[in-house]
Amino acid sequence: MTNMQPLGSRTLRASDHTKKSKIRKSADTTSAFSDEIVHLAEIKEKLDDALQKSDDSVERYDKEYMDAKRYMVEHWGDIDPHEMFQNELALKQIDHYGAFAVDVRNKLVKLLDSPYFARIDFQEAKEAPSTFYIGRFAFSHDNELLISDWRSPVASMFYDCEVGSAGYDAPVGRISGDLTCKRQFKIINGEMEYVLESSVNIQDDILQRELSHTSDEKMKSIIATIQKEQNIIIRNEKAETLIIQGVAGSGKTSIALHRVAYLLYRFKDRLSAKNIAIISPNKVFGDYISNVLPELGEEPIYDMSFADIANVQLEGTMGFEFDKDSIETDDPEWSERVRFKSTMDFVRLMDDYLEKMPDRIFAAEDYKFDRFTASKEWILGCFSSYNNYPVKRRLKMIADDIHDRFDTDNYMDELLPKPGTILKSLMAMLKVKNTKTLYKDFYIHMGKADKFMMPAKKTLEWADVYPFLYFHAAFEGLKESQMVRHLVIDEMQDYTPAQYAVINVLFKCRKTILGDFGQLINPNHLHTLEDLRSLYDGAEVLMLNKSYRSTYEIISFAKRIQNITTLKAVERHGDEPVLIRCRNEQEEIQQIKRQINDFLDSENVTLGIILKTDSKAKAFYDKLSGEYRMNLISSDSSIFKNGITITSIQMSKGLEFDEVLIPSGNTENYHTDFDRCLLYIACTRALHRLWITYSGTLSRLIGGNNNEKKKIAEHPHFVMCR
């Protein structure tokens, strides 16, 4: 049973997402939860007091810093080096304390707006119940903990337990007892909007209310609505590699970011934001998710792409062309090359070749200097024993070994060659002088020389970039990351096994890998989730099958296009998707303009017009941008904005819009099995409303067989333009 009340009233009317509701205050509404109203007032008073002290602290450190700086400037010529050094140390210390004080003040400001979102009362055996309020950050006043951080061990009970028998894992071990009270709050601008008292961990009422909101330019934190299965992932501390396969709208990216925030909290003594990086699909998506960690009080983490990594690793060695649009590129031979290099079998072929590499690239000979000799057999033995290192690193190590061996036998103190001189002789024994020659020989050895084509001198096709780097790692070595201790990889399905093989060389750290193999955007990529599992033997693989983004009606519609039997929709109802048939393209444009005008008259804040490809999105933008203020998201874009956005299906991945309009939903545009995946992605970008316009014949992927088409034509939400 639930008891959900604005300031204590006995009912909460869930407002429509397009309307703003005001809470009525009366004797009844303030009486039911008067204790919470009083408590909030007390917390705000203590927060005000703490904020005043924090402001004073910031001002004091600022004054101390300026005074110390002024003293050093005014007495620059009179200060001896020792005093100057001491003053510089003092400046750094003041700056450090000042930065900490500013961070504390900023957190207090955020807490004043919304101090907490939950309360639990927990009773250990034979103990009196203890009350815990849970918020974004912990807050103590006069040495009393008043608000617990949502990541704290005790807060896990809010997400995992119902009223009754409960417990949590603390540093000292498992703490068991009973949850005697559980409440959830919505506090905005320091005012209580509603209170929910419930015996269920996260009630649909709250979730529905949060999900019904309009979208925003930045992804928001979900700490008030984290579900039990999501909390398990977020608080997973043991997995070396965690793979999250989640359907569209399951919150996997948000979960991964909240997991990062949790790990930063849990291991603050050995992990900081600079030790964590995320590989995201594009700059727009990176911008879209950039606010989550700062909102949770953590520093932003480093965001990069596979192209960024390639630029660093290939610098001065080789260039590359960016990936082509597989949907728009009509080049069968190129497509075949991409497909060949997209599988797990291709990684095995590379490994087999590199395992036999010594025989093909290194012709060892005896190394002699006067009476000293290192035999061919001894050199080959060293070469094999150092097989965990790149070839050129091995030769350097062997050169050092030869020098040390000769030096040990040099009892007559004879002149010996330096290691660098020995290395030159060993390098001369290589049959292959660089990675390019080695990589080319790989294809010749397989009898598939036609599978390696260079578009220009010292320029690789994108499909060759990471296989080339794999060989470069084996021959010359890569610049491995020593800083990153946890790597997040988003949109895992878009990257080939060869790319993961290189990532595993570069980042020998824990990883959170997430995506949805139901949202593949490259028809030339043939790898599967099982391939990914085989690359990360022992990884924990978790499945998220419930979609929270779109309404039940939109998910049901998308599920009909891409038959994903495990996909479940949260019970949030809204408008049925609307199919609009037009006589011709001109009429379709006019209908789209009507929908745009309706959007502009509504209180929704984002409309995504999603085309099949980048070039079609650009052409559509050129056609309409003269009449409307619009944003075009392309591969060159870097930010996500509210309003009307025109983009391609590929660039829309990971984003969400209040309304989505998909033009040209006809058979000519969407007809292959791969197009099912594209339509599924486009449809599941919509939170509240979905429109599909078309002229000609409705795509069979939407309409199915003739009986299904007849049902659609008879559907009340099927519109025929007049």
Side-chain angles (χ1 to χ4, degrees):
M1 296 294 293
T2 64
N3 182 12
M4 184 180 198
Q5 299 146 357
L7 302 179
S9 69
R10 288 301 170 185
T11 60
L12 173 71
R13 295 182 177 86
S15 62
D16 185 273
H17 68 273
T18 62
K19 297 178 181 177
K20 296 179 180 178
S21 61
K22 294 184 178 179
I23 306 298
R24 283 192 236 169
K25 296 181 181 180
S26 64
D28 289 338
T29 60
T30 55
S31 60
F33 287 111
S34 56
D35 60 328
E36 298 296 357
I37 305 302
V38 171
H39 180 77
L40 177 59
E42 292 173 350
I43 290 293
K44 287 167 62 179
E45 185 177 330
K46 291 174 181 177
L47 281 168
D48 280 328
D49 180 55
L51 184 58
Q52 181 59 58
K53 291 177 180 176
S54 183
D55 281 334
D56 293 343
S57 179
V58 170
E59 288 180 13
R60 185 176 70 255
Y61 283 122
D62 186 56
K63 184 177 184 304
E64 286 181 16
Y65 185 88
M66 295 307 296
D67 288 346
K69 194 77 172 175
R70 188 179 301 107
Y71 175 81
M72 291 176 66
V73 171
E74 292 174 352
H75 299 84
W76 185 262
D78 304 325
I79 302 176
D80 62 51
H82 177 71
E83 185 182 355
M84 178 64 72
F85 177 71
Q86 293 298 323
N87 285 338
E88 287 175 350
L89 284 180
L91 269 179
K92 288 182 180 179
Q93 189 175 48
I94 294 169
D95 185 53
H96 173 75
Y97 288 144
F100 180 77
V102 169
D103 183 55
V104 170
R105 182 185 65 184
N106 291 343
K107 287 183 177 180
L108 289 170
V109 170
K110 290 179 179 179
L111 282 178
L112 264 176
D113 176 63
S114 182
Y116 47 83
F117 59 85
R119 165 189 166 176
I120 54 174
D121 292 0
F122 180 65
Q123 182 176 21
E124 293 184 50
K126 299 179 181 179
E127 299 285 340
S130 298
T131 296
F132 301 92
Y133 284 86
I134 302 167
R136 270 191 290 181
F137 319 118
F139 172 61
S140 296
H141 192 262
D142 292 338
N143 296 319
E144 180 186 6
L145 179 65
L146 300 177
I147 302 173
S148 297
D149 192 294
W150 67 274
R151 297 165 290 187
S152 63
V154 73
S156 66
M157 290 189 292
F158 171 69
Y159 301 110
D160 294 341
C161 304
E162 301 176 10
V163 170
S165 180
Y168 63 97
D169 294 317
V172 296
R174 184 71 179 175
I175 306 296
S176 298
D178 289 301
L179 209 60
T180 59
C181 176
K182 186 172 180 180
R183 291 175 181 174
Q184 188 164 352
F185 315 96
K186 183 72 171 183
I187 303 171
I188 298 179
N189 296 326
E191 297 297 323
M192 187 83 73
E193 275 205 353
Y194 59 74
V195 181
L196 165 71
E197 185 159 27
S198 171
S199 62
V200 180
N201 55 334
I202 302 292
Q203 283 299 314
D204 283 344
D205 309 39
I206 293 290
L207 190 59
Q208 297 275 359
R209 189 181 180 95
E210 294 302 313
L211 294 177
S212 68
H213 288 171
T214 54
S215 60
D216 206 344
E217 291 181 343
K218 304 285 187 182
M219 180 181 284
K220 298 292 187 182
S221 71
I222 59 168
I223 53 174
T225 57
I226 292 172
Q227 305 293 284
K228 184 175 182 178
E229 67 274 13
Q230 296 172 334
N231 192 48
I232 292 171
I233 297 172
I234 290 169
R235 293 174 185 261
N236 187 318
E237 301 174 12
K238 297 179 180 179
E240 285 292 326
T241 300
L242 189 63
I243 298 175
I244 306 170
Q245 161 60 38
V247 297
S250 56
K252 49 192 176 291
T253 300
S254 188
I255 292 167
L257 293 173
H258 283 70
R259 182 172 191 240
V260 166
Y262 174 78
L263 293 174
L264 288 170
Y265 170 87
R266 180 67 179 83
F267 303 107
K268 58 173 70 75
D269 56 333
R270 47 194 157 124
L271 193 68
S272 68
K274 66 182 180 181
N275 302 133
I276 302 177
I278 180 169
I279 299 178
S280 60
N282 54 64
K283 291 180 181 178
V284 174
F285 184 71
D287 173 68
Y288 181 62
I289 66 174
S290 64
N291 201 48
V292 174
L293 287 171
E295 192 177 318
L296 296 172
E298 301 294 348
E299 293 293 319
I301 58 177
Y302 182 60
D303 175 35
M304 58 187 170
S305 68
F306 273 91
D308 294 330
I309 295 170
N311 274 321
V312 171
Q313 298 298 330
L314 290 174
E315 185 180 14
T317 303
M318 194 74 67
F320 61 90
E321 65 175 15
F322 290 100
D323 200 9
K324 301 175 185 176
D325 189 327
S326 298
I327 304 170
E328 294 192 288
T329 304
D330 184 16
D331 185 344
E333 292 181 355
W334 170 80
S335 296
E336 181 55 37
R337 292 196 296 274
V338 176
R339 283 194 289 271
F340 178 69
K341 298 161 192 175
S342 74
T343 66
M344 191 64 207
D345 285 340
F346 181 72
V347 173
R348 295 188 183 103
L349 287 170
M350 291 195 296
D351 285 337
D352 288 343
Y353 176 87
L354 292 173
E355 190 176 335
K356 299 166 185 172
M357 179 176 61
D359 297 334
R360 298 185 62 81
I361 71 166
F362 186 52
E365 301 173 1
D366 292 347
Y367 178 79
K368 297 181 178 181
F369 183 83
D370 290 340
R371 68 181 182 85
F372 300 95
T373 300
S375 69
K376 164 187 173 180
E377 291 74 22
W378 184 85
I379 291 173
L380 279 174
C382 291
F383 192 84
S384 297
S385 67
Y386 293 141
N387 64 348
N388 288 330
Y389 298 93
V391 168
K392 290 191 174 180
R393 175 77 185 279
R394 293 192 222 181
L395 296 184
K396 186 180 183 305
M397 295 167 74
I398 294 171
D400 291 337
D401 289 345
I402 291 174
H403 180 270
D404 292 344
R405 181 178 173 181
F406 287 1
D407 190 50
T408 301
D409 295 338
N410 189 19
Y411 49 85
M412 297 179 65
D413 200 24
E414 300 169 69
L415 183 67
L416 294 176
K418 294 181 179 180
T421 303
I422 300 171
L423 178 61
K424 286 181 181 179
S425 297
L426 294 175
M427 293 288 284
M429 300 176 194
L430 284 173
K431 299 178 186 178
V432 173
K433 303 304 180 184
N434 55 51
T435 304
K436 177 187 170 184
T437 307
L438 180 65
Y439 187 56
K440 188 175 181 179
D441 183 68
F442 165 60
Y443 290 95
I444 295 171
H445 174 68
M446 289 190 296
K448 295 182 180 293
D450 61 321
K451 292 294 188 288
F452 176 47
M453 302 289 290
M454 297 183 70
K457 186 179 180 181
K458 294 191 72 174
T459 304
L460 297 169
E461 290 184 334
W462 177 251
D464 281 310
V465 170
Y466 276 81
F468 180 90
L469 284 174
Y470 198 56
F471 276 77
H472 201 55
F475 190 68
E476 296 199 32
L478 298 175
K479 303 164 189 172
E480 298 179 19
S481 171
Q482 304 301 319
M483 180 68 73
V484 176
R485 297 176 191 167
H486 196 105
L487 182 68
V488 180
I489 305 177
D490 205 349
E491 301 295 347
M492 64 184 181
Q493 71 281 357
D494 292 344
Y495 315 125
T496 65
Q499 289 175 285
Y500 284 106
V502 173
I503 289 299
N504 292 341
V505 173
L506 295 174
F507 301 97
K508 295 179 172 66
C509 61
R510 293 191 171 199
K511 297 176 181 70
T512 300
I513 305 173
L514 57 139
D516 178 14
F517 274 85
Q519 297 185 63
L520 282 166
I521 57 168
N522 193 328
N524 294 322
H525 283 183
L526 307 179
H527 56 289
T528 65
L529 179 59
E530 288 307 311
D531 291 333
L532 194 57
R533 284 177 186 253
S534 67
L535 274 166
Y536 294 97
D537 187 35
E540 286 191 44
V541 181
L542 299 169
M543 315 295 282
L544 295 173
N545 296 319
K546 183 175 283 190
S547 179
Y548 297 95
R549 175 190 296 134
S550 308
T551 62
Y552 181 89
E553 287 74 17
I554 292 171
I555 288 297
S556 298
F557 181 83
K559 188 175 180 179
R560 191 173 67 199
I561 295 170
Q562 179 91 316
N563 186 25
I564 303 175
T565 56
T566 57
L567 174 60
K568 299 176 183 177
V570 70
E571 288 284 341
R572 179 174 72 87
H573 290 280
D575 297 338
E576 290 276 357
V578 178
L579 302 168
I580 304 176
R581 190 170 91 190
C582 304
R583 293 184 179 86
N584 50 50
E585 290 184 12
Q586 291 74 23
E587 197 172 64
E588 187 174 355
I589 290 293
Q590 292 305 313
Q591 182 60 33
I592 289 170
K593 289 180 180 179
R594 291 191 194 102
Q595 301 308 322
I596 291 174
N597 291 331
D598 286 346
F599 162 75
L600 292 173
D601 289 337
S602 75
E603 293 189 17
N604 286 337
V605 296
T606 55
L607 167 64
I609 303 177
I610 304 178
L611 285 298
K612 187 175 182 180
T613 63
D614 285 339
S615 64
K616 289 183 177 181
K618 177 64 167 62
F620 204 83
Y621 174 80
D622 291 341
K623 189 176 294 185
L624 291 180
S625 59
E627 298 182 50
Y628 300 95
R629 181 178 294 177
M630 294 177 156
N631 312 308
L632 174 67
I633 294 181
S634 67
S635 57
D636 297 324
S637 304
S638 58
I639 59 174
F640 179 78
K641 299 178 182 177
N642 286 344
I644 303 168
T645 295
I646 296 181
T647 189
S648 65
I649 292 173
Q650 177 175 346
M651 293 302 299
S652 74
K653 289 183 63 177
L655 305 179
E656 60 187 29
F657 305 90
D658 294 323
E659 301 183 26
V660 164
L661 199 157
I662 304 173
S664 305
N666 52 35
T667 298
E668 181 182 356
N669 207 32
Y670 297 101
H671 57 278
T672 68
D673 283 340
F674 178 72
D675 289 337
R676 289 184 186 279
C677 191
L678 299 180
L679 275 173
Y680 169 75
I681 294 169
C683 291
T684 53
R685 300 309 94 200
L687 279 79
H688 310 302
R689 291 178 181 171
L690 173 64
W691 309 80
I692 299 179
T693 65
Y694 70 99
S695 58
T697 304
L698 178 66
S699 170
R700 66 179 180 83
L701 307 178
I702 300 171
N705 56 34
N706 289 332
N707 289 335
E708 186 67 22
K709 289 178 182 177
K710 184 173 183 295
K711 289 178 184 177
I712 288 175
E714 294 171 351
H715 196 283
H717 295 279
F718 174 83
V719 178
M720 173 66 182
C721 290
R722 299 299 180 190

